[in-house]
Amino acid sequence: MGRKGLLSVLLIALQLTSSIAADLDWWKSAVIYQIYPRSFKDTDGNGVGDLQGILENVKYIKDLGVDAVWLTSIYPTNDADFGYDITDMRNVYNTLGNLTVFGDLLKKLHDEGIKLILDFVPNHTSNKHDWFLKSIMNRDKYGKYYVWRAGSMSEEYDAINKIKPPNNWAAAIGGGDAWTYDNFRKEFYLHQFLEQQPDLNYENEDVIKDMTDVLDFWLHKGVDGFRMAGVFALCENQDFADEVIGPDKKRLHEKTYDQPKNFNVLAKFRAKLDEYTRKDNVTRLMIVESNSSDFNTVKKYYGTKDAPIAHFPFNFFLIKNMNTSSNATDWARTINNWYKDMGEDNHPNWVLGNHDQHRVANRFTSEYVDLLNILILSLKGTVITYYGEELGMPDSIVRMDQAQDPLGKKSSYSDFLWESRDPARGPFLWNGNKTAGFSSSLKSWIPVSPSYWQINAKTQNDSDRSHLKIYKEMISLRKNLTLKSGDIEVIDVNDNVLAVYRYFDDNPSVVVVINFGSKEEKVNLLEKRKSLPESLNFYLASSNINDFKDKDNKPKLYKSSEITLPPKAALVLTT
Ligand code: GLC
């Protein structure tokens, strides 16, 4: 080989190694474990979880094998929306702990090699936040920190005070007016969520600066990234004209959601994170919450290669589009659409649940727990697990008179069960003792799911096969190069059976086969993928498969041409 040939081989090898290295940046194949701190573990006996409870259970988190923890809001709050009406963005809510315990938790997680991601809530503060109290009085620079507008007099609008809001904008929570009149300032303020959550005014550079400083405060303490809540609602069209009302009487939100200016502000937040990333070459992660059902709108939150915004916007399409009626073709389409529509330069992510949705075990039924954990943990990209998903933890049962969530409180009796987010925010099920080991108090802020006697971490850890064991086995498999960096193909083998192929150079390939149907299926994997070997090794099966051992009690070999799966079952095989 001549010098030129050698050089190009070297160059290719170099490119390959650097692209693998880029793929291996910590967050790219990470599993992020989302914790709702009020509900993880209560150590002071008041029925509400706390940071000390997380600190004392880092071992559980470490044993899961996850790479990062994301804590939903830990900041002082007036509890109108539990952490999302913040009164001080640079502190810890005293119900949850204080900055010292926070420091201890951060250190402990870091010592265990686990990253910590915090919520950042840029759209609004609490109406009890010092900035808003000053803003009401139009004091100093704070007068312009929120979106204030005069209303207009109207005979017909309201018999009592006859002042009509500036336009027809509607709030995302509760669906009422997005404007509330303040009697002191004699103007309306905008709130795209609850009236206790006034929107910050991002037309004001001082607001952008102050909020960027909040990021700096936590980055300086050592946090590894942020999940930025509700960013779709950040900026508003400055014409303040009425929004179009859609066919179902809902606003189309074309003046209040996903506005062009959102991306400019978010790019500034990203620049702050990158400032820290550059110091030590460890990526500070930026995840944003976009609410849109349109791939093209969601995609904008990635920014571009030259002007990056988020590392990724949450992929809510598995939550929005999939249900128990979805067959293998639907699953394949939704997964492949994300890969295709987001493009090669943008990093994928997979989410099955969070504190705003009913739990997987309820939305899909418990039969789906292994299937879905196995599925998303086999996909290329970052995976987010909502605490308890590893156990197939079900929703809590919450009566109307026990309602905490404002969405539930605002809903009618008939809508309550569906609208309330309390059931998904129930205490973690540690063991089969009373209160599931969550608290020394029998009265937790949300009732413990009555299934704790059967479904809990201790029982599942102690048994040979369980949802938890399967979850952990999948995470171990993700540590291999094939799942970390390998290519992926997601195929519907037939209407009911989905196959995920992962392959990477000479490393063993991984083949996941899932039967979403309601009867036994026998499939020939070679029909759609001729390059597969004739037999495949067993790695893992969902809890409802029991015949994976041969007569010598060794995991059996599976014939690629003849794989049999019971209904709602999954197999993980390797070459
Ligand atoms: C985010 C949170 C949600 C909260 C909303 C309003 O979307 O996930 O729980 O209600 O922000 O602040």
Side-chain angles (χ1 to χ4, degrees):
M1 189 187 300
R3 261 188 65 188
K4 232 172 154 188
L6 193 70
L7 212 67
S8 61
V9 169
L10 269 175
L11 218 67
I12 292 169
L14 217 66
Q15 274 167 0
L16 210 67
T17 2
S18 67
S19 86
I20 295 171
D23 269 353
L24 293 181
D25 193 356
W26 73 266
W27 57 279
K28 290 200 163 175
S29 60
V31 178
I32 301 175
Y33 189 68
Q34 179 193 351
I35 295 181
Y36 196 80
R38 293 179 69 93
S39 294
F40 201 55
K41 171 81 184 169
D42 171 23
T43 57
D44 56 7
N46 62 355
V48 181
D50 40 54
L51 295 191
Q52 183 67 27
I54 304 173
L55 177 64
E56 287 173 18
N57 287 287
V58 168
K59 181 168 183 330
Y60 175 80
I61 300 165
K62 171 83 183 164
D63 288 349
L64 290 176
V66 299
D67 306 273
V69 165
W70 152 34
L71 298 180
T72 57
S73 173
I74 57 167
Y75 312 112
T77 168
N78 210 34
D79 276 343
D81 192 18
F82 300 98
Y84 292 95
D85 52 316
I86 301 172
T87 50
D88 179 0
M89 302 208 181
R90 297 160 184 252
N91 211 337
V92 171
Y93 188 26
N94 55 15
T95 305
L96 300 177
N98 52 44
L99 281 170
T100 310
V101 189
F102 172 80
D104 293 347
L105 175 60
L106 179 62
K107 177 163 188 321
K108 174 91 180 148
L109 288 169
H110 280 175
D111 286 350
E112 296 292 354
I114 300 168
K115 303 266 194 282
L116 179 61
I117 294 165
L118 290 185
D119 246 348
F120 176 61
V121 188
N123 182 64
H124 46 262
T125 66
S126 159
N127 59 342
K128 302 288 180 221
H129 192 290
D130 193 45
W131 294 348
F132 190 68
L133 298 178
K134 287 186 177 144
S135 200
I136 289 176
M137 292 185 279
N138 217 338
R139 228 205 258 156
D140 318 327
K141 62 174 188 173
Y142 299 104
K144 295 196 172 72
Y145 261 42
Y146 295 83
V147 185
W148 292 100
R149 283 287 176 287
S152 53
M153 296 302 279
S154 154
E155 284 298 316
E156 72 279 13
Y157 183 70
D158 181 329
I160 303 167
N161 52 31
K162 297 205 168 94
I163 303 176
K164 197 176 162 204
N167 59 33
N168 75 349
W169 293 358
I173 295 191
D177 277 340
W179 297 98
T180 289
Y181 189 72
D182 180 74
N183 268 321
F184 187 87
R185 183 157 159 160
K186 306 255 178 282
E187 278 185 311
F188 285 89
Y189 64 87
L190 178 71
H191 52 88
Q192 299 211 53
F193 294 89
L194 299 173
E195 67 179 77
Q196 296 94 329
Q197 295 169 309
D199 269 43
L200 284 162
N201 173 19
Y202 277 92
E203 296 302 312
N204 183 343
E205 287 296 322
D206 287 343
V207 169
I208 302 179
K209 159 114 191 21
D210 267 343
M211 291 302 283
T212 313
D213 284 353
V214 169
L215 293 174
D216 191 76
F217 176 84
W218 293 103
L219 287 165
H220 185 69
K221 288 202 174 301
V223 309
D224 303 285
F226 298 92
R227 170 267 190 178
M228 302 193 178
V231 298
F232 55 89
L234 214 53
C235 303
E236 297 77 39
N237 188 317
Q238 293 302 299
D239 71 4
F240 284 88
D242 278 355
E243 291 192 320
V244 175
I245 299 177
D248 54 359
K249 296 226 164 56
K250 288 203 174 137
R251 307 290 183 278
L252 296 189
H253 287 296
E254 77 281 7
K255 307 258 176 204
T256 47
Y257 287 4
D258 309 306
Q259 299 298 300
K261 176 131 195 200
N262 287 9
F263 306 103
N264 301 340
V265 176
L266 290 170
K268 291 185 182 159
F269 293 158
R270 170 67 185 263
K272 174 50 79 183
L273 270 69
D274 286 352
E275 203 181 294
Y276 278 80
T277 301
R278 273 195 303 275
K279 285 186 196 169
D280 55 10
N281 224 359
V282 180
T283 302
R284 305 304 194 276
L285 187 64
M286 175 163 162
I287 310 172
V288 298
E289 185 193 30
S290 141
N291 207 21
S292 177
S293 301
D294 170 21
F295 278 102
N296 288 322
T297 303
V298 178
K299 188 175 178 175
K300 289 186 192 161
Y301 285 90
Y302 279 110
T304 60
K305 230 179 181 165
D306 299 331
I309 299 177
H311 289 94
F312 56 81
F314 277 132
N315 172 359
F316 287 148
F317 290 97
L318 297 185
I319 294 176
K320 284 177 196 276
N321 298 355
M322 311 315 288
N323 52 49
T324 48
S325 300
S326 312
N327 64 13
T329 312
D330 300 324
W331 281 96
R333 189 188 318 110
T334 301
I335 294 167
N336 286 326
N337 276 353
W338 182 278
Y339 286 127
K340 180 165 57 67
D341 292 345
M342 294 304 145
E344 291 213 334
D345 289 340
N346 290 327
H347 187 74
N349 72 97
W350 306 100
V351 188
L352 288 171
N354 60 37
H355 61 295
D356 296 328
Q357 323 290 331
H358 286 279
R359 284 186 172 273
V360 167
N362 292 70
R363 248 183 304 129
F364 289 94
T365 78
S366 57
E367 307 304 329
Y368 279 75
V369 169
D370 291 337
L371 259 59
L372 298 187
N373 279 338
I374 288 176
L375 172 63
I376 68 163
L377 289 167
S378 72
L379 297 178
K380 191 178 172 76
T382 312
V383 168
I384 293 94
T385 298
Y386 183 49
Y387 79 102
E389 262 168 21
E390 71 277 22
L391 308 175
M393 179 174 149
D395 277 354
S396 282
I397 301 175
V398 185
R399 289 193 315 259
M400 246 184 136
D401 64 300
Q402 296 168 319
Q404 302 282 345
D405 174 32
L407 261 185
K409 285 184 177 164
K410 276 176 183 262
S411 62
S412 63
Y413 179 72
S414 56
D415 291 341
F416 175 71
L417 273 185
W418 184 247
E419 288 292 322
S420 170
R421 296 173 297 181
D422 291 334
R425 298 173 178 179
F428 186 74
L429 308 178
W430 290 101
N431 56 45
N433 302 338
K434 59 184 170 191
T435 80
F438 167 69
S439 168
S440 59
S441 161
L442 277 180
K443 210 165 167 274
S444 47
W445 80 288
I446 287 177
V448 172
S449 166
S451 58
Y452 70 93
W453 62 276
Q454 188 190 11
I455 302 170
N456 63 65
K458 168 128 188 18
T459 308
Q460 296 200 18
N461 248 331
D462 290 349
S463 81
D464 284 346
R465 298 187 69 211
S466 63
H467 298 314
L468 179 58
K469 287 278 169 74
I470 288 170
Y471 178 85
K472 287 184 181 178
E473 293 285 346
M474 279 310 291
I475 292 206
S476 316
L477 192 64
R478 275 180 80 81
K479 313 268 179 212
N480 294 326
L481 227 42
T482 305
L483 289 199
K484 253 185 188 250
S485 303
D487 284 329
I488 182 161
E489 245 177 85
V490 182
I491 294 172
D492 47 338
V493 182
N494 64 29
D495 284 353
N496 294 321
V497 180
L498 183 83
V500 178
Y501 301 110
R502 300 294 311 269
Y503 44 98
F504 186 68
D505 284 353
D506 295 339
N507 295 275
S509 300
V510 175
V511 183
V512 175
V513 205
I514 304 176
N515 180 4
F516 281 103
S518 38
K519 61 171 177 50
E520 183 180 286
E521 292 281 340
K522 191 184 272 183
V523 290
N524 178 354
L525 296 179
L526 292 175
E527 267 174 18
K528 295 238 171 164
R529 202 176 163 81
K530 303 223 164 15
S531 58
L532 277 181
E534 269 176 26
S535 57
L536 295 165
N537 302 309
F538 173 83
Y539 177 76
L540 186 70
S542 54
S543 315
N544 54 353
I545 296 183
N546 288 310
D547 60 351
F548 52 86
K549 291 200 173 146
D550 61 19
K551 51 184 182 333
D552 303 323
N553 215 19
K554 293 216 181 81
K556 69 182 188 193
L557 279 179
Y558 278 79
K559 274 173 86 180
S560 306
S561 58
E562 213 182 309
I563 309 262
T564 307
L565 284 164
K568 305 284 184 281
L571 267 176
V572 183
L573 308 167
T574 65
T575 58

